[in-house]
Amino acid sequence: MSFTASLGSAGSSAVLHLAGRLTDADVRTLRTLVDQAVGTAPRRLLVDAHDLESLAPAGVRCLAFAQQHLAPGTEMVIEGASPDLHEALARAGLTRSMTVVTTTTTASAAA
């Protein structure tokens, strides 16, 4: 599935929805949305990764950029992270500075 992304808001939160496979060619799109999200000075940045299949290393760097440029005290949450995404964020040291909520697949959900 090709990469798609959208930015919205909910109250004082910016919500970035990511779907598909983010390749290096797609990073410019992600960076543009990250810049827009940071520019709104949200109290919380929620990255909805439920539909994200894969994330290139440059995409992880974009998320790190977002976290670094948010105002002090702003919470960043990655919701719906696959185990692979969680591992990539952990390797980058980002799980110490943001909340990462992983998805789990159970036998009943897979059936």
Side-chain angles (χ1 to χ4, degrees):
M1 175 162 135
S2 62
F3 177 71
T4 60
S6 60
L7 178 64
S9 63
S12 61
S13 296
V15 181
L16 182 59
H17 180 263
L18 308 178
R21 295 183 177 147
L22 187 142
T23 65
D24 289 334
D26 302 309
V27 170
R28 182 177 299 246
T29 300
L30 177 59
R31 177 61 190 266
T32 298
L33 291 174
V34 163
D35 287 344
Q36 290 174 3
V38 169
T40 65
R43 296 193 49 77
R44 180 175 185 235
L45 174 58
L46 173 65
V47 179
D48 179 351
H50 285 96
D51 298 323
L52 187 65
E53 296 174 13
S54 63
L55 185 70
V60 173
R61 287 190 298 276
C62 261
L63 295 177
F65 171 87
Q67 193 280 325
Q68 292 167 350
H69 288 85
L70 290 168
T74 302
E75 178 184 27
M76 184 166 173
V77 178
I78 311 294
E79 188 173 280
S82 68
D84 289 340
L85 176 56
H86 186 272
E87 177 66 25
L89 296 170
R91 279 194 312 269
L94 298 176
T95 55
R96 294 184 303 248
S97 59
M98 61 181 66
T99 302
V100 181
V101 181
T102 58
T103 58
T104 57
T105 303
T106 62
S108 61

